[in-house]
Amino acid sequence: MTANTGPVAPHRGFVTLSVMLATIIQALDTTIANVALPHMQGSMGATQDQIAWVLTSYIVAAAIFMPLTGFFSARFGRKRIFIWSVVGFTVASMLCGAAQSLTQIVVFRLLQGVFGASLVPLSQAVLLDTYPRERHGSAMALWGVGVMVGPILGPMLGGWLTEYYNWRWVFYINLPFGLLAWFGLAAYVHETPIDRTRRFDLLGFAFLSLSIGALQMMLDRGESLDWFASPEIVMEAMLAGLSFYLFVAHMFTHEHPFIEPGLFRDRNFSVGLLFIFIVGIILLATMALLPPFMLHLMGYPVIDVGLLLAPRGIGTMIAMITVGKLSGRVDARYKILFGLVLTSFSLWEMTRFTTDVTSWEIVYTGITQGMGLGFIFVPLTTVTFATLAPRYRNEGAALFSLMRNIGSSIGISVVITYLAQRTQVNHAAFADYLNPFSLALRQAVEAGSYELNSPQGLMAIDGEVTRQAATLAYLQDFRLMMWVTLAAIPLIMLLRAPEKKVAPAEAVAVMD
């Protein structure tokens, strides 16, 4: 079977719209269900640990099956796999919404992760093949809107649907988007060549799956089980490390490995994987910290939290549109540097937050950070794939998305653990100042704010100390992410600038 040369210009817009819809429904589902978990817990009669499997099952399944994208696309055809993934994801979403027990929803979320794993990498590969090389920057800007904005808008949309309708609509919302994506893919996307001679490296896939699955389980359950004080976490860490070592050894010694080592001979691609790992840390780690900060310390209702965080996505879209217009005119490495500086600045601003911070300051820092991530993501994606051979695109896109997801999982685990540890340390440090010789404490007691002669008064003082300790811990987390962002700047020097080809097509609008 021979491949088509690609869609003609009038059809590029329909192809772009179709793959964007597929990207958005998958990206939304990484965060949209988080807000609805308490409502699911009450409906299913589950404990907090049990309901957490609704998230864990999806994350682990998506991580394990994402590397299969390259093999399945080569063996059965990219269009066929893409359509079946969209259909399976949509059906699994409807089953999640109709689930009547905890077991059912965990199983259906598992299926949702299996089918959704390939949606993002396939959409990226399709767009790279649909647009000529000189317009890859514009194409990746459009694709990045779905990838970056989806997780940001997820909590807001999930909160609104849960508040005014029902938690089941968090899953039902995927139906219209899934149907439109299916129709567009079937009508306008061209099939790729099928390689029926390609063999499946079962042992390599088994090693990689064990490593990714054990790592995701460790990251997801580590905080609740006190990390390496738990035998389960120790076992998962050992399994992840050993399986990864065996996978690497197998990859370089097997005649037909699951992932071809030739991928990593491309320097831009290898550096890009490390870069997107760091971007993954920053992208969702902040979103894991700001909602509880605003809910528990500032007293915002859920709906307001979603509305105040939404402008972050607007900043990302503005940046991506700007980057698309600058594609081919400004060195991608300069745009990445500007994005890192913007992101670092926004995190530095967040280290100055207090519980009295205004809504405008939250919105302003969110827009700034969103713009910074937008300036990083699109040129980084373009540079990463600029010199990669087309035959590696399916596997490369899957690894690119996998590294972003692993970075997000590690980032969330690190900042949540660091938050808990710093809260305890700060509480102990602040408590040392509460003694009979403390002038501030005596003045507060004399003013009638607190009393020392009753259990209720002592509890009130302890509550305020805990609140201040937690506030400082959040700021220390923001500072940690700022240093992680700054540490990524030297990686820019390892990237090679792609050949600069300014074609007449650059003058055309981003979408035909």
Side-chain angles (χ1 to χ4, degrees), residues 340-397:
L340 288 171
V341 171
L342 270 183
T343 305
S344 302
F345 174 74
S346 69
L347 289 167
W348 177 73
E349 287 281 299
M350 292 166 71
T351 62
R352 304 164 63 191
F353 277 4
T354 67
T355 51
D356 297 322
V357 66
T358 64
S359 299
W360 163 245
E361 289 175 288
I362 295 173
V363 170
Y364 158 70
T365 54
I367 292 175
T368 305
Q369 187 173 119
M371 290 183 66
L373 290 170
F375 270 99
I376 297 170
F377 189 79
V378 176
L380 174 60
T381 306
T382 306
V383 170
T384 301
F385 290 89
T387 54
L388 191 67
R391 69 188 184 95
Y392 289 135
R393 276 179 185 161
N394 289 330
E395 286 183 335

Side-chain angles (χ1 to χ4, degrees), residues 35-48 50-52 54 100-102 162 166-168:
V35 191
L37 278 186
H39 298 268
M40 293 184 203
Q41 183 178 346
S43 177
M44 302 292 179
T47 65
Q48 188 169 357
Q50 289 173 332
I51 203 65
V54 172
Q100 299 299 313
S101 68
L102 179 65
T162 304
N166 188 285
W167 66 262
R168 299 181 186 276

